[in-house]
Amino acid sequence: MSRIVKVIAAVTLLWAMGLAAVAQAQSADFNALARVDAAQSRLTQVEDRVTLDLALSQGVPYRAYTLEAAGDVPRRLVLDFREVDWQGITPEALGQAEAIGGLRFGAVRPGWSRMVLDLARPLVLDQAGLRILPESGAARLRIVLRAASAEEFAALSGAPHDPAFDLPAPEPVDRTARPRVGEGPLVVVLDPGHGGIDPGAERDGLSEKELMLTFARELQDVLVRDGNFEVVLTRTDDSFVSLDRRVALAHAMGGQVFISLHADALSEGQAHGATVHLLSDSASDAASATLAERHDRDDLLAGIDLTGQDDQVAGILMDLARQETQPRAERLAQALVAGIRGAELPLNSRPVRRAAFSVLKAADIPSILLEVGFLSSPRDLKNLRDPAWRLQMAEAIREGLTLWVAEDAILSDLVRQ
Ligand SMILES: [Zn+2]
């Protein structure tokens, strides 16, 4: 095992070294937020040319690029900005263009905002320019798109070669020094689902992204007070974090278990009660497959391209590491279910399920995705709104983790003998 981990660490380090330059650029000083002036901003279309004019209170660094369609996610234009405040502006206020199927914007990582336009047909960048008005210091960004063939669009599209944009700054981690489970506090990575430009499920003015950040903080308190856990969060504010970044952060933080927290809405069937998902190539049912697809799709809609990330050699090494990790993740799922059952909180009738969730793909960290409840279930929605109920759920998860630590320490001793 340790040899596999070392090789993975070496691969990760090589890949991380290439990112250092960009990470440095990102640590440059922050200016105040630029505000968008809705009254002076608009989206217009004349024949096959689409123009987006954005009035900003000051100039900001930005980048623009197009992405190919993927599955049912259409072709997109992505605009990234440093520190833009979108408050008070709505997609409707910008106007409509027949060639633009949808438009959304929001925080994408600390310090960065993103606007994504769904393209109803192939349109490529014709002009992109930011002009500073000398008298006021305000800025005008103009993006012009022109019609193109599908081939030309494909040739000109793709995320800029800047992988560090969404990945944590590299930090040397001595993996050989990672403590075994049962020696010292367990490092738990809590991953509040969704965030920023991706709200997750929404019901009655409540969004999954806000609810899961609140619950992650409450669970963190319960675990830290216990004394046997150290807790880190993959996000601590309302920013978008890609699935790859969540996994990379778990490694960078030295996580020993990874728990992704969700409260999705499912229209098909009546999903209710806590459900634990494990990583698998084949989904255990249609609902799990839908959830996994929806979460990967959220990344694509937010302008993150997941394609071409794993190279083959790393893939084989990861498969080997996964063979050791997967039984530990299975026991983690069972232990959490036991904790929730012991507290007599609502559990799904089939509480452990499997599907291809990208966020669970860390090869050497037991990872599960917990649907704490479903916003589409009136009973779960009522529970999730109730701080006293959430506290009970947090305590049940703590019980489950405590069970797992005891079991994992014994079983890994057996493996060693
Ligand atoms: Zn979710």
Side-chain angles (χ1 to χ4, degrees), residues 61 84 97 207 228 238 383 411:
V84 168
S207 67
N228 291 308
D238 180 24
N383 286 338
L411 287 170

Side-chain angles (χ1 to χ4, degrees), residues 82-229:
R82 210 38 199 280
E83 292 289 8
V84 168
D85 181 359
W86 301 97
Q87 245 163 34
I89 182 161
T90 60
E92 294 73 38
L94 288 173
Q96 286 185 339
E98 164 266 325
I100 305 299
L103 188 158
R104 58 202 160 272
F105 42 77
V108 71
R109 58 163 298 179
W112 289 85
S113 297
R114 172 168 291 172
M115 178 181 263
V116 182
L117 283 74
D118 295 334
L119 307 177
R121 53 176 177 272
L123 294 170
V124 292
L125 283 164
D126 192 42
Q127 288 173 35
L130 186 105
R131 194 161 56 87
I132 308 279
L133 307 180
E135 59 285 10
S136 61
R140 296 285 179 271
L141 175 70
R142 167 166 284 193
I143 302 285
V144 181
L145 300 168
R146 64 168 173 84
S149 66
E151 294 73 31
E152 190 188 3
F153 184 89
L156 294 174
S157 293
H161 188 65
D162 180 4
F165 178 75
D166 192 52
L167 292 169
E171 259 176 68
V173 178
D174 183 0
R175 280 152 199 275
T176 54
R178 186 149 79 180
R180 288 165 54 197
V181 168
E183 290 172 355
L186 184 78
V187 182
V188 180
V189 179
L190 296 180
D191 174 48
H194 311 277
I197 196 169
D198 164 26
E202 292 174 299
R203 282 290 187 284
D204 295 350
L206 202 63
S207 67
E208 186 183 357
K209 67 172 183 177
E210 287 167 35
L211 190 61
M212 288 302 102
L213 182 57
T214 303
F215 182 64
R217 289 208 179 102
E218 293 167 344
L219 177 55
Q220 177 178 31
D221 283 348
V222 165
L223 293 176
V224 167
R225 257 186 277 126
D226 179 79
N228 291 308
F229 303 97

Side-chain angles (χ1 to χ4, degrees), residues 193-194 200 208 262-264 295 371:
H194 311 277
E208 186 183 357
H262 290 258
D264 283 280
H295 286 104
E371 296 281 354

Side-chain angles (χ1 to χ4, degrees), residues 275-337:
T275 311
V276 183
H277 274 101
L278 287 160
L279 178 70
S280 166
D281 290 338
S282 52
S284 56
D285 56 43
S288 307
T290 304
L291 283 173
E293 275 164 24
R294 190 176 295 166
H295 286 104
D296 281 6
R297 188 176 184 272
D298 287 346
D299 256 18
L300 290 172
L301 282 173
I304 299 279
D305 204 339
L306 293 167
T307 50
Q309 299 275 348
D310 287 356
D311 74 62
Q312 253 180 346
V313 178
I316 292 163
L317 292 167
M318 291 214 203
D319 283 347
L320 288 170
R322 249 179 224 131
Q323 283 177 20
E324 289 196 23
T325 308
Q326 209 51 24
R328 299 177 65 218
E330 300 248 355
R331 291 198 302 274
L332 177 63
Q334 298 297 347
L336 288 188
V337 166

Side-chain angles (χ1 to χ4, degrees), residues 376-395:
S376 45
S377 148
R379 180 200 62 189
D380 289 2
L381 177 61
K382 183 168 164 283
N383 286 338
L384 287 160
R385 287 200 122 108
D386 177 6
W389 185 89
R390 293 198 304 266
L391 179 63
Q392 284 185 300
M393 180 53 89
E395 288 170 346

